[in-house]
Amino acid sequence: MFGGADLQECTKKQKKEGLGFGHDRISELPDDVIINILSFLPLRDAVSTGLLSSRWLDLWKHTPYLDFFDTDDIYRTKCDTEHGSWDVGTCKHVKMVNSVLESHHALFLKRFRLHFYANKSAQSVVTKWLGFVWSRQVESLDLNFRCDMQNYQVVLEDLLGEMRPMKYLQNLSLMMMKVRGEDISLFLKNCPFLRKLRIEESFLTSDVHISGATLALEDLQIEGCVYSESKLYNATFYFYLILLDFPTPQTYIVGSRRQAFGERVSSTAKSQRIVP
């Protein structure tokens, strides 16, 4: 049994050999391992780890996941006056994104996700953010501006002026914004390996054409959208699903607000026109 002097001596020995509880073993890990750990944390918490030590100060700036969420305002619908009074200059989420993107250094992103309220008054700011995305080899892009008023929605067309080819993009999700068929065609042209495309709760302002002999698209979802006398044309999509020999070469287009529909497209048809 240890006496007081023996215990004190043992504790000193442990500290000297790095065996004490105060020894920071995590900081001895390689940077790549720590960055991978940080990628599992909410972004705000990952940034906060910079307070631990000078070694950790810049590690979060290399995480491959950038997720910006408003967890306090997910289900609440804004009234008309709130849409008009929203100020991009004072929005804390806009400030957060600006601050992070100014500091972030990763050249490759597994995911870039925006899920908070923003309306058309933020067009120039969102365009700047997407300029950052175009410069990274992003695999998944998820934009949800949580604006359900058509007159205030972000217009996707105005965000794509500086769009570059994105050969790594595999998943694209667009929600609560104004979308043209030409915008979708531009993504399909610039993203040759796009496998999943989802458009939800948005306002479609023109016909959507899904076609191309080299499409890699496997999963197409257009759900809960409002159509401005637009139609969805599909010239070759399902045909090439069969040529690529997928296990279930069928896709569903569901949920038009103007008229509920759920059309299953025949897996043997070379062309199909779906009119909601």
Side-chain angles (χ1 to χ4, degrees):
M1 191 170 183
F2 284 113
D6 293 333
L7 182 60
Q8 188 176 21
E9 184 64 29
C10 182
T11 302
K12 289 181 179 179
K13 183 177 180 181
Q14 285 182 332
K15 289 183 178 180
K16 184 177 180 180
E17 296 177 356
L19 301 175
F21 290 109
H23 186 63
D24 183 6
R25 292 187 176 277
I26 294 181
S27 291
E28 292 181 352
L29 295 172
D31 284 355
D32 290 347
V33 175
I34 297 178
I35 290 170
N36 186 54
I37 294 173
L38 294 179
S39 69
F40 289 95
L41 297 176
L43 183 58
R44 189 177 297 275
D45 293 341
V47 174
S48 298
T49 61
L51 299 175
L52 296 176
S53 71
S54 57
R55 163 108 191 280
W56 288 68
L57 189 61
D58 294 324
L59 293 180
W60 71 267
K61 299 177 183 180
H62 300 274
T63 57
Y65 295 90
L66 290 180
D67 296 319
F68 301 93
F69 276 92
D70 180 0
T71 56
D72 300 325
D73 194 28
I74 296 178
Y75 301 108
R76 192 176 71 85
T77 301
K78 293 185 181 295
C79 64
D80 292 353
T81 55
E82 288 180 293
H83 288 290
S85 62
W86 183 79
D87 185 0
V88 63
T90 59
C91 176
K92 64 180 182 180
H93 303 293
V94 170
K95 292 180 179 180
M96 174 70 173
V97 178
N98 285 336
S99 177
V100 168
L101 298 193
E102 287 175 0
S103 303
H104 203 262
H105 299 315
L107 298 178
F108 176 83
L109 293 177
K110 300 289 285 186
R111 183 176 63 234
F112 184 86
R113 178 161 53 181
L114 299 176
H115 277 229
F116 56 81
Y117 179 86
N119 62 33
K120 62 182 181 181
S121 65
Q123 288 280 160
S124 60
V125 176
V126 178
T127 300
K128 180 181 177 181
W129 296 343
L130 290 185
F132 172 89
V133 173
W134 308 150
S135 68
R136 301 307 195 261
Q137 299 174 10
V138 64
E139 288 187 7
S140 179
L141 177 61
D142 186 349
L143 305 177
N144 178 358
F145 294 113
R146 297 184 184 172
C147 179
D148 57 359
M149 291 288 290
Q150 295 176 24
N151 292 336
Y152 289 95
Q153 285 181 334
V154 171
V155 180
L156 182 61
E157 174 188 4
D158 296 339
L159 306 178
L160 304 181
E162 302 298 325
M163 184 180 182
R164 304 176 187 177
M166 303 172 67
K167 62 180 181 178
Y168 292 94
L169 188 67
Q170 298 182 29
N171 300 300
L172 174 64
S173 179
L174 306 172
M175 191 168 182
M176 292 193 175
M177 65 181 73
K178 286 187 177 180
V179 180
R180 303 178 309 153
E182 293 86 349
D183 302 330
I184 303 306
S185 297
L186 186 61
F187 269 108
L188 293 175
K189 177 183 177 181
N190 284 283
C191 309
F193 298 108
L194 187 66
R195 298 187 179 280
K196 183 174 182 178
L197 172 60
R198 183 178 66 176
I199 308 172
E200 293 187 47
E201 302 294 327
S202 293
F203 185 62
L204 301 180
T205 61
S206 64
D207 296 343
V208 179
H209 297 259
I210 307 294
S211 63
T214 59
L215 282 184
L217 203 59
E218 299 172 358
D219 187 352
L220 170 65
Q221 300 175 37
I222 300 179
E223 184 174 358
C225 293
V226 174
Y227 296 83
S228 175
E229 299 303 323
S230 62
K231 302 175 179 61
L232 177 66
Y233 293 93
N234 174 27
T236 55
F237 175 57
Y238 302 100
F239 177 55
Y240 285 102
L241 279 179
I242 297 170
L243 289 183
L244 292 173
D245 194 26
F246 293 108
T248 55
Q250 296 169 337
T251 297
Y252 294 86
I253 312 299
V254 295
S256 166
R257 285 182 182 169
R258 195 176 71 182
Q259 178 182 346
F261 71 105
E263 297 282 350
R264 175 184 292 196
V265 177
S266 170
S267 60
T268 60
K270 289 188 177 182
S271 64
Q272 183 79 26
R273 174 176 170 176
I274 302 172
V275 181

